[in-house]
Amino acid sequence: MSALVAERQATRPVTPGPCPMIEATRLVLRPHRMADAPAIAASLGDFAVARMLTRVPVPYDGEDARDWLNMATSGLKPDWHLAVTLDDVHVGVVSLELRHGLWHLGYWLNRFYWGKGLMGEAVELTLERFFRRMPQVEIAGGAFADNAASLRLLSRRGFRTTGMTQVYSVARNGMVPLVDMRLTQSDFNGRS
């Protein structure tokens, strides 16, 4: 019996541990709480934000936000879903989700905070912390082909393009070209 237990433990996937709190000069990244629902609903209720994401329905309301928060705060998955906050105001999300054995980076920012470098900083801090805990993993990322700002953000972090696929966007109610990208710790650390 103990050999079976040892074998099961040996095959258990390694996880990064609980979602951390990361404090920086301009922003704080922290685990989500249910009180974030109104801010999430307000941000994702904006079509300019939702149209750049694959799984966000339109319209998006408080009930949708609470449903997502129930999953994100349950602790049942190894994923990190970090709230991007300024002066404790929720303005966005950076997530690392384990899907089909591969870690996927996702993020969004309230439209009124675009163009200030906040998401670049948030993604940078998240990747740096994640690679400290999970140094040998490869992270998948990507952005819609018409999202130049997001493609720049990923490239500046060391992501390299691996191809192009068509994915269904719930907000756009149709297929959209997605630039697929990948990142290793050596790519992240080796940026110039």
Side-chain angles (χ1 to χ4, degrees):
M1 186 69 153
S2 62
L4 288 174
V5 171
E7 183 178 325
R8 231 180 319 149
Q9 289 174 345
T11 61
R12 183 177 295 156
V14 177
T15 64
C19 189
M21 175 177 255
I22 304 170
E23 296 184 45
T25 305
R26 290 198 303 167
L27 51 87
V28 173
L29 304 172
R30 61 163 173 75
H32 278 88
R33 43 190 181 232
M34 292 305 289
D36 295 327
I40 292 170
S43 294
L44 294 181
D46 181 347
F47 186 70
V49 177
R51 71 181 295 276
M52 294 301 180
L53 305 170
T54 56
R55 299 179 283 172
V56 175
V58 173
Y60 191 93
D61 60 26
E63 191 171 317
D64 294 311
R66 286 186 294 280
D67 288 346
W68 182 81
L69 283 164
N70 280 327
M71 179 278 305
T73 62
S74 71
L76 297 175
K77 295 182 176 185
D79 306 340
W80 282 7
H81 298 287
L82 293 154
V84 179
T85 66
L86 293 170
D87 298 321
D88 206 33
V89 174
H90 188 290
V91 298
V93 172
V94 177
S95 294
L96 282 156
E97 297 179 342
L98 185 60
R99 288 188 257 146
H100 309 291
L102 182 64
W103 288 96
H104 290 259
L105 174 71
Y107 51 87
W108 58 263
L109 188 66
N110 180 295
R111 178 169 50 114
F112 298 103
Y113 296 92
W114 291 358
K116 300 175 185 341
L118 294 170
M119 188 49 69
E121 184 178 344
V123 168
E124 182 86 18
L125 292 165
T126 302
L127 290 171
E128 190 277 326
R129 178 68 62 89
F130 189 79
F131 278 130
R132 273 198 264 155
R133 294 189 184 181
M134 304 286 288
Q136 301 304 316
V137 302
E138 184 174 59
I139 298 173
F144 291 151
D146 63 351
N147 189 345
S150 197
L151 292 168
R152 275 191 310 276
L153 182 151
L154 293 169
S155 293
R156 288 178 180 158
R157 306 284 131 4
F159 277 84
R160 54 192 157 61
T161 301
T162 58
M164 183 91 96
T165 56
Q166 293 284 323
V167 297
Y168 183 76
S169 167
V170 176
R172 296 184 192 198
N173 192 28
M175 301 302 285
V176 181
L178 177 81
V179 178
D180 292 311
M181 304 175 94
R182 296 289 174 94
L183 177 71
T184 64
Q185 185 176 26
S186 60
D187 293 333
F188 182 68
N189 292 338
R191 296 168 291 152
S192 53

